[in-house]
């Protein structure tokens, strides 16, 4: 009889967990994945990245038709109406297809799905739905959940004060939506409902939107969203909320202190961030304490301080991004299988999937300046032939390089396809490229990506088209 039921049990079937489970199985490890949801894929596929992109894409199509923007291409339309039920059904279809796809991949790779919540009985024993399973190694990949805001109680079923899950499932377009938090989730969901007809007010505690991104990008973001009709309230904090019937009243005050005021809304989206989800795991049973931010500390190989227990994704330090978790899932599986799994945490791109998209990888200009002398090249999208032809003038590409070595330290972009463009920058940085390497790489014409080449040329002061 085998000493353990499994070589590896992964707790959580989000992007980190399911990818790690498949990779481990490919490497010959007997693997199980614990998941309590009815479908695999975690927050990302069920109530995060994927459904939000379906609504973003659909709302863009609606806005393009409803605004009359298609007329310039000779597309003449009559009255344009929104059928929100159909849009929501399209979103559900995307989610169903992708979550079902993971279930298929589990079967194909012989990964067992243990349905229920996993709790540690000891470092090698996990209890799921009243049954104990043993494993030589256990990976915690439980992800994150919405950070609550004191004084603002979320009730997704009621639909007045909601979190990101509730904002994805509204049954009708609110007349006035207030978004608390000017980060990625708030701006993506705010832009969906703005395009579908809501008045949207974004309330952000800090003095600029999109914390963590390059300051040029953050300032430009505020201009772009204002131009799109969103009201942006920076340097403002929400101190409380009350709900009466189908209306919410928020109490606001300046972040630096001052007179309070009230703001009424039909829907309030609380989007102030996410926090590691570790409740119910029984970490105290195995002597695993959380750090001050509620995260599980790991070493370079994703080991926790408890032998045989590893952790990846949103519940460990680093950016809470699906692709970061996926890479860590592959790396931890390889480490457990005796290979060398590495994630370069200095080169993890981040994208905001609004229209235009905002993307970045590596250091901001502010961070780079703190480390030494730099050179910066910046190229506007309005001077890019493809963007100009497509009537997509907003944005720029910015390349930051070390002044002495010319090594690329960071790249930031605002463009309709910035999320796809940033992959080139990430690849260049992974290979230790200089700005000259990008500048002398032939880019297809006409493409948005030529702006990357021109920005790189700008580092040494020689872009062609401006």
């Amino acid at each position: 009889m085998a000493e353990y039921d499994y070589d590896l049990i992964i707790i959580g079937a989000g992007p980190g967990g399911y990818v790690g489970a498949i990779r481990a199985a490919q490497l010959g490890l007997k693997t199980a994945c614990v998941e309590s949801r009815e479908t695999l894929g975690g927050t990302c596929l069920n109530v995060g990245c994927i459904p939000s992109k379906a609504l973003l894409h659909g709302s863009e199509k609606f806005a393009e038709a409803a605004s009359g923007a298609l007329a310039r291409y000779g597309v003449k339309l009559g009255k344009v109406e929104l059928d929100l039920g159909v849009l929501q059904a399209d979103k559900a279809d995307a989610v169903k297809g992708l979550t079902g796809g993971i279930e298929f991949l589990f079967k194909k790779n012989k990964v067992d799905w243990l349905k229920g919540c996993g709790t540690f009985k000891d470092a090698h024993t996990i209890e799921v739905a009243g049954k104990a399973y043993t494993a030589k190694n256990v990976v915690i990949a439980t992800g994150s959940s919405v950070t609550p805001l004191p004084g603002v109680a979320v009730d997704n079923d009621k639909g007045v004060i909601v979190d990101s899950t509730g904002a994805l499932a509204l049954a009708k377009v609110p007349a006035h939506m207030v978004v608390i938090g000017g980060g990625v989730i708030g701006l993506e969901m705010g832009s969906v409902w703005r395009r579908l007809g809501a008045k949207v007010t974004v309330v952000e505690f800090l003095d600029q939107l999109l914390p963590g991104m390059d300051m040029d990008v953050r300032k430009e973001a505020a201009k772009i969203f204002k131009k799109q009709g969103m009201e942006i309230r920076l340097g403002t904090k929400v101190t409380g909320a009350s709900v009466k019937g189908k209306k919410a009243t928020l109490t606001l005050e300046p972040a630096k202190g001052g007179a309070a005021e009230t703001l009424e809304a039909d829907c309030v989206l609380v989007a102030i961030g996410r926090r590691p989800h570790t409740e119910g795991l029984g970490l105290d049973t195995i002597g695993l304490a959380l750090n001050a931010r509620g995260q599980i500390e790991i070493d370079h190989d994703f080991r926790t301080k408890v032998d045989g227990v590893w952790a990846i994704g949103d519940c460990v330090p680093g950016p809470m991004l699906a692709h970061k978790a996926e890479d860590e899932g592959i790396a931890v599986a390889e480490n457990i299988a005796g290979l060398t799994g590495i994630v370069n945490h200095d080169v993890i791109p981040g994208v905001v999937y609004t229209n235009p998209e905002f993307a970045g990888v590596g250091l901001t200009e502010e961070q780079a300046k703190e480390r030494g002398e730099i050179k910066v090249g910046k190229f506007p999208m309005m001077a890019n032939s493809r963007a100009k032809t497509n009537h997509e003038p907003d944005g720029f590409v910015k390349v930051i390089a070390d002044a002495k070595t010319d090594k690329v330290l960071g790249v930031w972009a605002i463009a309709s396809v910035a999320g796809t463009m940033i992959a080139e920058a990430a690849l260049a940085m992974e290979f230790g490229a200089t700005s000259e390497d990008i500048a002398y790489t032939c880019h297809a014409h006409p493409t948005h990506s030529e702006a990357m080449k021109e920005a790189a040329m700008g580092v040494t002061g020689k872009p062609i088209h401006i």
Side-chain angles (χ1 to χ4, degrees), residues 4 55 118 156 166 174 247 253 267-268 276 281 288 341 343 396 398 439:
Y4 297 107
L55 293 186
N156 286 331
K247 294 258 187 207
E253 59 183 62
C267 181
V268 176
L281 276 173
L288 196 55
V343 176
F396 58 83
K398 175 178 178 177

Side-chain angles (χ1 to χ4, degrees), residues 86-160:
V86 172
L87 176 58
Q88 290 287 19
D90 178 67
K91 176 200 78 177
D93 192 50
V95 170
K96 186 181 176 190
L98 288 166
T99 55
I102 300 170
E103 199 168 345
F104 163 76
L105 289 171
F106 269 18
K107 284 174 183 154
K108 180 186 168 188
N109 289 284
K110 298 182 174 57
V111 174
D112 290 346
W113 175 5
L114 308 179
K115 296 186 181 183
C117 292
T119 307
F120 281 97
K121 290 297 144 194
D122 62 49
H124 297 281
T125 310
I126 306 296
E127 187 179 287
V128 185
K131 195 174 172 199
Y133 302 89
T134 60
K136 188 177 181 186
N137 293 280
V138 177
V139 173
I140 302 167
T142 46
S144 59
S145 50
V146 172
T147 303
L149 179 61
V152 185
V154 167
D155 184 343
N156 286 331
D157 292 336
K158 212 170 181 188
V160 181

Side-chain angles (χ1 to χ4, degrees), residues 9-22 31-47 98-103 106 111-118 139-144 277 281 312 322 325-326 329:
I9 290 176
I10 298 183
I11 307 175
Y18 90 73
V19 167
I22 292 169
T31 306
C33 190
V34 180
E35 177 54 59
S36 61
R37 280 183 205 270
E38 293 300 307
T39 48
L40 301 168
T43 294
C44 173
L45 269 77
N46 289 282
V47 289
L98 288 166
T99 55
I102 300 170
E103 199 168 345
F106 269 18
V111 174
D112 290 346
W113 175 5
L114 308 179
K115 296 186 181 183
C117 292
V139 173
I140 302 167
T142 46
S144 59
H277 179 67
L281 276 173
I312 58 165
E326 287 189 47

Side-chain angles (χ1 to χ4, degrees), residues 179-256:
V179 178
I180 306 173
V184 179
I185 295 168
L187 292 170
E188 286 188 1
M189 294 315 303
S191 66
V192 165
W193 295 107
R194 171 71 199 91
R195 280 196 288 265
L196 297 179
K199 177 191 172 189
V200 174
T201 304
V202 178
V203 180
E204 168 55 50
F205 181 80
L206 299 173
D207 59 357
Q208 293 293 345
L209 300 172
L210 296 173
M213 295 197 101
D214 184 89
M215 193 52 80
D216 272 357
V217 170
R218 297 177 72 188
K219 286 176 179 167
E220 191 66 19
K223 289 180 198 164
I224 288 170
F225 290 120
K226 277 178 189 165
K227 196 165 78 178
Q228 291 177 1
M230 282 195 204
E231 187 188 350
I232 310 290
R233 302 279 302 269
L234 300 170
T236 305
K237 70 174 168 183
V238 177
T239 55
S242 61
V243 177
K244 211 176 207 174
K246 287 283 178 189
K247 294 258 187 207
T249 305
L250 298 177
T251 312
L252 314 178
E253 59 183 62
K256 294 187 169 111

Side-chain angles (χ1 to χ4, degrees), residues 288-347:
L288 196 55
L290 301 172
N291 69 13
R293 299 187 66 183
Q295 299 160 325
I296 298 167
E297 290 286 351
I298 49 170
D299 69 8
H300 184 69
D301 296 324
F302 311 101
R303 284 185 177 90
T304 69
K305 66 174 192 145
V306 178
D307 196 44
V309 179
W310 315 63
I312 58 165
D314 284 6
C315 65
V316 305
M320 290 184 171
L321 296 167
H323 43 281
K324 177 252 197 191
E326 287 189 47
D327 282 7
E328 290 182 343
I330 290 169
V332 77
E334 291 176 349
N335 287 332
I336 290 167
L339 305 176
T340 305
I342 295 169
V343 176
N344 181 358
H345 287 95
D346 293 331
V347 184

